[in-house]
Amino acid sequence: MSTLTLISDPQTATALLPEFTLIVGIALLILIPNLGKGTFRLPIPNTNIRIPYLFGGERFAFTSSPRIPGVISVFTLLFSTALALWSQMEEPLSDSNVWCIATTGEAFNSCAGMIEPSLLKIDGFSRLLEIVFYGALMLCGVAMWSRMPATPRFMIHAQVLAGRREDERIAKLLDNRRQVDFHILLLMVALGMSVVVLANDLFVLFIGLELASLSSYVLVAFMKENDEAPEAGMKYFIVGSVASAVGLYGISLLYLWNGNLQISELASSWQAMDSIDPLALAGLAFIVVTIGFKVSAAPFHLAAPDAYSGASSPVAGVLATASKAMGFVVLLRVLVSITMPESGEAFWVPVVGLLAAVTMTWGNFGALSSESPKRMLAYSSVAHAGYLLAAVAALGLNTSREGDHVVAELIVAAMLFHLTVLVLFKLGSFLVLSMLESEGRGSKLEDLYGLAKREPLIATALFIFMLSLAGVPPLSGFLSKLLLVSGIVDATVHNSMTFDDGVIAAIRSLHWVFLLALFVFLNSALSLFYYLRVGWVMFFEDPPTRKRLVYAPFLRITLMLCMVGTLAFGIGPLADHLLTLVSNAAETFFG
Amino acid sequence: MFGNPLTILTLGPILAGFAFMLVAWAAPPSKRKEISQYIRLLIFAFSLLLLSLSTLMFLESYSGISWTSLALNEYVYDNCANAEIAIEAGGCSLVDGFGVSWHVGVDGLSFPMVWLTTLLIPISMLVEWNAKKGAQFHSLILMMEGALIGVFVSLDLFVFYTFWELTLIPMFFLILLWGGENRKYAAQKFFIYTFTASVLMLLGILVMYYFTRVPVWDGNLTGRAFDITLMASSSNTLGSAFLGGFGMQKAVFLLLLVGFAAKMPSVPVHTWLPDAHVQAPTAGSMLLAGVMLKMGAYGFLRIAVELLPGAMVHYQLLLIVLGMISLVYGAMVCLGQTNLKRMVAYSSVSHMGLIFIGIATMQPLGIAGAIFMMLAHGIISPYLFAVCGAFKHHYHTLEIGSMRGIAKFSPWLGGHMMAAWMGSLGLPLMAGFVAEVAIMIAFWMAFGWWVILPALTLIITAAYYLWSMQRTIFEGGDEGQLPDSLHGDEPVDVSWHENAGMFILAVFAIVLGVLPFIFFDMMSSYSNEFVTEVLLDVLNEVMP
């Protein structure tokens, strides 16, 4: 019954339009490449009447083209992004734009006064994150258009089977199959991530998490012609599934404690506790381990560098951006929505603060000492997780001041801004590496030598991405760090602070979380060294070859768009628009 | 928003430089040489246009605008006057969300620097007219002009810092692609030093940003702004708006001091300068010494001193000591140099020490003298480097002992060397003298007979200049001595374009020495205003 309502209820259908688009996209990916000259013989004896039913058989040239699956998935994601963005265009803050989906599948406006438990909640916060996810996956999809031919092994097999012309056709078909597999998984990741961010119930959230994770394990191992990929996929799978199992155990403990996994119910039970129940605490701790793995926070990050360097670059980029954003959503849901006290400091601040400090330092030192650009980016992604964790720690202080803007909203807005622009410059740099990978390079720093002499524009783009990662003004990476530190400072610095007894005494009078702001700054300064090293080798070393990179027009256009976005979201009107969007989203997160 | 002449002066050259660079890059190889020559002419014409624009602005002081009656925090050509209201109305904001605005304006402190920049750019192009890959070389210089002017005119710390970093890039490439044998090392050292220093400066700026409350306007997420005028109104009087009070001011002041001192440069963070100068191409050296060093002094005055006057008063002695060490140490090291360009570079360190001393006297005359020193040194030191460049170009050496009696072979070069060297050692009726005298008088007013210390150092200055000049262009008897690096070739005199560039510099060095008031008036009105409106209040408040 409920499944039917999900589709037939017009309100539900409108509310979940972007997600339904994804499902339609998956269906199209399964259907379209299978269209062919298939016929069906009527089961009448002694006749040979065949009725064409366009399914199976010899495929049409159009449907077996290797380009088709990529086009379908990218356009599906584009369409979903547009729908999600469109829903936030007018009155993003009004209740009429918030939907809750109940267990019956019915959609309720504004979620206020709902008696039945709701499974999904659609608001500005979740929509913005969906845009982030879809954007990241879209970039990955575009990058995969011009890569991934079927493996040579299959080609040899096909040559034995058929003549020369057949050979080409079969190769194309195999390419097409491989693309279909990849892009279905990509859309699955998108769907899983959407479910995570929409979930209003920990169990639904876990289902989404698993859908996204399992698909991404396969994506990591997907480039099987590369020796490292299966190994990386295996590692990522084992560590990831252990982490998921631990998280599931945590969720079951929470269920044991509360008898209900609704986030709002969990929150009110948590508020009602006099002292913290060990059962609930253990459950929470286990969930945090899962999240730690997802956002690659130290010490749960150890699989990340291997996974990133083994996976093909666009996939690694997705892990570093969309997957991390998903992890932070879960973190916010669990730590802020459930366990935040009415007033005063949350109990987890010391833990998260310590994790933040360790994560950013470890990440930066790891990046400093890694020779492969992909490992370097992986470690830099660990460092960025540390910066975001520092903001979460400041969020836990629960500061509120009379006559001041809402600190918590500023912090969440800063995190969202960071996660959004990260897609542009983090994934952008992975896309550049992807171009190098297509010619069999990209795993060593030497491969970047003299890139500026081969491809000045692309080298400039990579240089700008690096500067933005390091946080150099006026790029968007600087703006996001500025906002994060603003949040930390606002949460800790009070108006009566005085430096008259010296700086040390003044800092000691503040909450220790303030030190995290200094840590962010010092770590950013440290990170400059390895980011600038990339720029240095690109411009001032001699290239191994003078040949230009692969001709992939759409990828090049996408790269240029990423570069322009990195600049435009740092300063100017676009930055203002994005700031409005994220601050609205942050407001709905708390509202 | 973009109709302001200062905006044109800032963004015009950057965009034009990019455009010329692209055209030069995209030109077909067969016609590259021809196109490159046209581009060089166009760039030169463009820079002359900018020079005439800034000169027109200057001439307005005699008709429209009275530069000499500017109060503190009042700027000419201000596109965002009364920032609190203007930003809220959206007239000049770049990003409302965290308070960045496109706010430009000039006053008695920054206008001379803007004019100096527009003057030096065409001259440095002229001196190195025949640089290889000329189109790229000159478009880099043009881009640099925009970034430099951006530093001097922006009244928003975010934009200021952006331009500050942006100046590094063209200079870095100028050294790296057109420099001497050891250019990679020099470019790296230059970049690491100045970048590290500016990261510290950024920390100072961010602390100022975080700890200053400005009136929150709609859409400002952080409740703060980078606007200098807004910051000044809240921190000048050590008001409560600046969280952390006086102790915080001191901490920020020290951070900014490191950032600016490394750029100026002052001992002990000066060691990048000689290397960068020796390796840089002539035009690069001219701009480095003429304008980039002034960025440090300008930023120090504009941000550290103007916004944190209390800390300035507190650290007066530190500044005097730093300035004295730079002055004496720089001069002593000059005495021991055997390389002309290295000697000139160290003399810059010495002169920058004098600027520190002038500011630290906290007398109106001293500060005005320091600003005039910035202008005078900005004209004379490019002259010095142009002479060095001519030596390098025509004699292929810069070793002082290796050639003698050059005046016989190259009379023009000898004449220019004499004029430049005399100007720099502070010959009366030349620009440097005015500045030195102003600073010395202010020093005497502030510290009495201690003035003997800096005054005696000027003797060392005279000594190393005269000595090096005597050994290079005189001496050597009737035949003189040509350097081995010439390999027996016939010595030649300076070429016409070098001659023209150097001649213009000489004219301005003398004009500003004879008629200093054309710039000194606006400088002293600025410093008078600053001292009476700000420093005296602070003095009464901090040190009762």
Side-chain angles (χ1 to χ4, degrees):
Chain A
M1 187 61 202
S2 61
T3 326
L4 213 63
T5 329
L6 207 57
I7 303 163
S8 62
D9 186 5
Q11 284 194 334
T12 314
T14 338
L16 287 176
L17 214 50
E19 291 74 24
F20 281 134
T21 312
L22 288 180
I23 294 176
V24 170
I26 294 176
L28 284 179
L29 268 179
I30 297 171
L31 278 177
I32 290 186
N34 277 318
L35 294 182
K37 294 173 185 160
T39 51
F40 175 72
R41 192 178 74 85
L42 283 179
I44 304 167
N46 302 327
T47 53
N48 202 10
I49 307 171
R50 289 176 177 271
I51 299 171
Y53 71 131
L54 302 178
F55 201 74
E58 190 184 328
R59 307 298 194 267
F60 301 126
F62 165 68
T63 55
S64 64
S65 149
R67 278 291 154 82
I68 278 295
V71 171
I72 295 173
S73 89
V74 168
F75 274 92
T76 307
L77 287 167
L78 197 63
F79 201 51
S80 291
T81 314
L83 285 172
L85 203 57
W86 174 61
S87 73
Q88 294 306 305
M89 275 305 173
E90 284 168 29
E91 302 180 16
L93 288 175
S94 76
D95 278 348
S96 62
N97 215 2
V98 177
W99 297 90
C100 277
I101 314 285
T103 37
T104 56
E106 283 174 280
F108 291 91
N109 213 302
S110 87
C111 301
M114 270 183 69
I115 306 156
E116 340 173 30
S118 71
L119 295 183
L120 302 176
K121 184 180 180 190
I122 298 139
D123 54 16
F125 177 75
S126 47
R127 280 288 182 247
L128 178 76
L129 277 156
E130 280 181 346
I131 294 169
V132 172
F133 299 151
Y134 299 159
L137 292 165
M138 202 154 54
L139 292 181
C140 175
V142 170
M144 277 307 189
W145 276 2
S146 52
R147 292 192 55 184
M148 234 176 25
T151 56
R153 273 198 300 275
F154 288 113
M155 298 271 285
I156 296 162
H157 184 58
Q159 273 169 358
V160 176
L161 279 181
R164 219 178 128 53
R165 212 191 139 272
E166 284 297 287
D167 177 35
E168 193 182 316
R169 206 176 60 81
I170 288 179
K172 258 189 167 173
L173 188 64
L174 288 169
D175 278 1
N176 169 284
R177 288 296 103 132
R178 201 147 179 249
Q179 292 269 0
V180 169
D181 293 348
F182 186 88
H183 287 286
I184 285 182
L185 288 168
L186 207 62
L187 290 186
M188 290 287 206
V189 173
L191 195 61
M193 285 176 172
S194 312
V195 172
V196 169
V197 71
L198 294 177
N200 213 5
D201 182 295
L202 279 191
F203 191 71
V204 177
L205 188 143
F206 184 77
I207 290 177
L209 199 65
E210 277 309 283
L211 185 58
S213 307
L214 285 172
S215 317
S216 60
Y217 301 145
V218 186
L219 286 182
V220 168
F222 204 85
M223 295 299 264
K224 54 181 178 289
E225 54 267 54
N226 175 350
D227 287 342
E228 286 170 1
E231 184 195 331
M234 204 60 202
K235 266 185 196 160
Y236 195 57
F237 171 66
I238 291 174
V239 181
S241 52
V242 168
S244 291
V246 170
L248 188 59
Y249 185 55
I251 290 177
S252 72
L253 287 182
L254 281 183
Y255 186 71
L256 206 59
W257 164 67
N258 192 34
N260 187 329
L261 286 176
Q262 286 281 306
I263 287 177
S264 52
E265 303 258 330
L266 282 169
S268 53
S269 302
W270 195 281
Q271 303 266 327
M273 273 191 310
D274 292 330
S275 60
I276 294 173
D277 192 330
L279 203 59
L281 185 64
L284 195 72
F286 285 137
I287 298 177
V288 170
V289 170
T290 315
I291 302 166
F293 169 75
K294 275 284 154 218
V295 303
S296 56
F300 312 110
H301 71 283
L302 292 166
D306 285 332
Y308 286 30
S309 58
S312 57
S313 289
V315 173
V318 168
L319 295 185
T321 54
S323 202
K324 170 181 289 182
M326 178 177 76
F328 273 102
V329 172
V330 185
L331 194 67
L332 286 178
R333 290 267 189 247
V334 172
L335 289 188
V336 180
S337 300
I338 295 181
T339 69
M340 193 72 114
E342 277 289 329
S343 63
E345 188 181 321
F347 72 94
W348 41 261
V349 171
V351 180
V352 175
L354 188 69
L355 272 185
V358 172
T359 304
M360 58 179 113
T361 319
W362 196 333
N364 274 322
F365 278 103
L368 212 50
S369 59
S370 54
E371 276 301 304
S372 143
K374 268 159 101 180
R375 285 186 90 84
M376 187 271 274
L377 283 174
Y379 275 115
S380 102
S381 148
V382 174
H384 279 260
Y387 306 148
L388 286 165
L389 281 176
V392 175
L395 199 55
L397 292 184
N398 216 354
T399 320
S400 61
R401 270 196 296 272
E402 281 298 314
D404 218 341
H405 51 270
V406 189
V407 179
E409 276 176 19
L410 170 63
I411 297 177
V412 173
M415 290 175 68
L416 290 177
F417 189 87
H418 187 85
L419 290 170
T420 312
V421 293
L422 200 60
V423 172
L424 293 171
F425 48 82
K426 185 90 184 200
L427 199 54
S429 32
F430 274 112
L431 292 188
V432 176
L433 291 185
S434 162
M435 294 189 82
L436 281 166
E437 250 173 31
S438 320
E439 53 174 78
R441 298 171 202 273
S443 59
K444 296 190 301 291
L445 193 63
E446 285 83 53
D447 298 337
L448 284 171
Y449 277 17
L451 191 64
K453 287 174 188 124
R454 304 173 61 192
E455 291 279 358
L457 262 178
I458 287 181
T460 311
L462 186 54
F463 186 56
I464 285 179
F465 297 149
M466 289 295 135
L467 289 182
S468 186
L469 280 169
V472 173
L475 303 171
S476 49
F478 173 76
L479 179 45
S480 70
K481 269 186 200 162
L482 184 87
L483 287 173
L484 284 176
V485 176
S486 284
I488 300 174
V489 170
D490 272 358
T492 50
V493 174
H494 41 80
N495 283 320
S496 60
M497 166 190 196
T498 168
F499 276 74
D500 288 342
D501 304 328
V503 176
I504 306 288
I507 290 180
R508 283 180 65 174
S509 80
L510 295 177
H511 195 282
W512 60 267
V513 167
F514 178 75
L515 290 178
L516 288 179
L518 279 180
F519 247 79
V520 171
F521 186 85
L522 289 178
N523 267 297
S524 302
L526 182 69
S527 70
L528 268 174
F529 285 97
Y530 58 83
Y531 290 128
L532 287 179
R533 189 172 59 189
V534 170
W536 177 264
V537 301
M538 280 194 308
F539 284 94
F540 305 121
E541 299 288 349
D542 288 324
T545 159
R546 287 271 162 183
K547 236 172 50 199
R548 298 196 61 173
L549 286 173
V550 281
Y551 174 70
F554 287 102
L555 185 52
R556 281 167 192 258
I557 293 171
T558 318
L559 263 178
M560 292 303 123
L561 286 181
C562 282
M563 180 172 78
V564 172
T566 306
L567 281 165
F569 286 122
I571 196 155
L574 261 183
D576 249 347
H577 288 311
L578 186 60
L579 281 173
T580 319
L581 206 62
V582 293
S583 56
N584 286 344
E587 217 171 318
T588 54
F589 177 74
F590 289 105
Chain B
M1 179 171 173
F2 292 110
N4 192 306
L6 293 176
T7 309
I8 297 171
L9 278 180
T10 310
L11 299 183
I14 294 182
L15 296 179
F18 261 116
F20 286 127
M21 184 79 100
L22 274 182
V23 173
W25 179 63
S30 55
K31 289 188 178 171
R32 193 162 278 172
K33 216 165 185 181
E34 205 177 321
I35 291 176
S36 171
Q37 278 175 351
Y38 281 119
I39 289 178
R40 194 172 59 183
L41 272 176
L42 277 176
I43 292 176
F44 187 65
F46 191 81
S47 68
L48 284 183
L49 214 65
L50 295 174
L51 172 61
S52 49
L53 181 60
S54 74
T55 311
L56 267 180
M57 287 165 67
F58 173 61
L59 290 178
E60 270 197 80
S61 63
Y62 294 108
S63 54
I65 305 161
S66 175
W67 292 87
T68 48
S69 63
L70 283 176
L72 190 76
N73 280 331
E74 266 180 32
Y75 303 92
V76 184
Y77 297 110
D78 190 345
N79 70 329
C80 201
N82 204 345
E84 208 173 298
I85 300 164
I87 293 176
E88 187 155 19
C92 52
S93 75
L94 276 180
V95 188
D96 258 343
F98 65 120
V100 174
S101 46
W102 178 258
H103 188 178
V104 290
V106 282
D107 60 359
L109 168 60
S110 49
F111 183 74
M113 296 300 114
V114 172
W115 182 79
L116 174 69
T117 313
T118 54
L119 174 72
L120 282 185
I121 295 288
I123 291 180
S124 59
M125 284 180 191
L126 204 56
V127 167
E128 212 154 328
W129 188 243
N130 287 324
K132 54 176 183 186
K133 286 194 179 174
Q136 280 98 324
F137 186 82
H138 288 159
S139 25
L140 267 181
I141 290 184
L142 199 61
M143 275 186 230
M144 184 136 160
E145 172 172 19
L148 289 168
I149 293 177
V151 169
F152 292 130
V153 300
S154 58
L155 295 173
D156 182 285
L157 287 181
F158 184 90
V159 180
F160 171 86
Y161 185 78
T162 306
F163 280 122
W164 179 280
E165 292 291 329
L166 212 58
T167 56
L168 280 185
I169 298 172
M171 184 45 88
F172 180 71
F173 280 103
L174 280 182
I175 297 178
L176 195 87
L177 300 179
W178 283 272
E181 303 84 34
N182 210 356
R183 52 181 186 252
K184 232 175 189 176
Y185 168 75
Q188 235 169 339
K189 194 169 178 182
F190 164 73
F191 193 82
I192 289 174
Y193 260 80
T194 48
F195 203 78
T196 312
S198 65
V199 166
L200 288 179
M201 186 182 106
L202 178 65
L203 181 57
I205 289 178
L206 287 182
V207 173
M208 282 166 80
Y209 173 71
Y210 286 129
F211 285 76
T212 315
R213 296 272 176 206
V214 299
V216 181
W217 57 82
D218 228 19
N220 188 335
L221 275 180
T222 57
R224 305 178 167 95
F226 280 106
D227 197 286
I228 290 179
T229 56
L230 288 182
M231 280 194 180
S233 58
S234 61
S235 66
N236 263 338
T237 50
L238 310 181
S240 57
F242 196 65
L243 297 176
F246 187 46
M248 193 68 206
Q249 274 208 20
K250 289 193 285 189
V252 175
F253 187 84
L254 286 182
L255 283 172
L256 293 177
L257 181 63
V258 175
F260 294 128
K263 197 77 171 187
M264 270 180 67
S266 156
V267 177
V269 277
H270 65 287
T271 53
W272 62 271
L273 184 77
D275 286 309
H277 268 313
V278 171
Q279 300 302 330
T282 306
S285 281
M286 288 169 71
L287 289 179
L288 192 62
V291 195
M292 276 187 95
L293 304 190
K294 308 306 173 299
M295 276 165 56
Y298 167 81
F300 182 67
L301 266 172
R302 173 67 85 216
I303 296 174
V305 177
E306 251 188 43
L307 293 185
L308 311 163
M312 161 73 199
V313 173
H314 184 82
Y315 285 120
Q316 186 188 19
L317 200 63
L318 174 73
L319 291 180
I320 291 279
V321 170
L322 267 183
M324 278 305 293
I325 293 176
S326 294
L327 179 63
V328 178
Y329 175 80
M332 297 298 274
V333 172
C334 279
L335 272 179
Q337 292 304 318
T338 56
N339 183 307
L340 272 183
K341 223 173 173 183
R342 236 183 148 76
M343 188 200 85
V344 173
Y346 273 110
S347 86
S348 284
V349 176
S350 176
H351 282 114
M352 289 295 122
L354 212 52
I355 291 181
F356 250 156
I357 293 175
I359 296 170
T361 57
M362 300 201 300
Q363 302 287 337
L365 187 60
I367 295 178
I371 305 173
F372 199 80
M373 188 69 176
M374 284 155 67
L375 181 65
H377 186 258
I379 286 175
I380 294 172
S381 72
Y383 196 10
L384 296 170
F385 280 110
V387 171
C388 290
F391 270 112
K392 178 83 188 162
H393 190 213
H394 300 295
Y395 288 90
H396 312 296
T397 182
L398 288 166
E399 287 302 308
I400 293 178
S402 69
M403 48 194 165
R404 287 174 203 283
I406 293 303
K408 294 185 194 65
F409 307 109
S410 307
W412 276 109
L413 183 55
H416 280 306
M417 185 176 187
M418 214 161 118
W421 260 233
M422 286 299 175
S424 194
L425 68 79
L427 190 75
L429 292 186
M430 286 183 85
F433 176 72
V434 182
E436 278 174 13
V437 166
I439 292 173
M440 290 306 151
I441 294 174
F443 199 90
W444 185 79
M445 296 199 298
F447 304 105
W449 285 108
W450 287 104
V451 73
I452 287 181
L453 281 180
L456 282 181
T457 315
L458 296 182
I459 297 177
I460 312 180
T461 310
Y464 65 75
Y465 273 127
L466 289 176
W467 194 28
S468 62
M469 185 168 75
Q470 187 222 358
R471 279 185 292 169
T472 312
I473 55 176
F474 300 129
E475 266 187 16
D478 285 339
E479 300 90 42
Q481 177 198 340
L482 288 172
D484 298 337
S485 53
L486 212 54
H487 299 301
D489 289 349
E490 198 59 24
V492 279
D493 209 341
V494 290
S495 44
W496 67 268
H497 50 83
E498 284 171 336
N499 212 344
M502 291 195 271
F503 192 74
I504 299 170
L505 286 173
V507 168
F508 276 109
I510 291 168
V511 166
L512 286 179
V514 180
L515 310 166
F517 53 83
I518 50 176
F519 276 111
F520 204 82
D521 276 0
M522 67 170 83
M523 292 167 182
S524 65
S525 86
Y526 163 82
S527 62
N528 259 324
E529 190 72 36
F530 175 67
V531 171
T532 52
E533 293 285 311
V534 180
L535 272 186
L536 286 184
D537 282 359
V538 173
L539 275 174
N540 294 334
E541 215 169 312
V542 177
M543 302 181 174

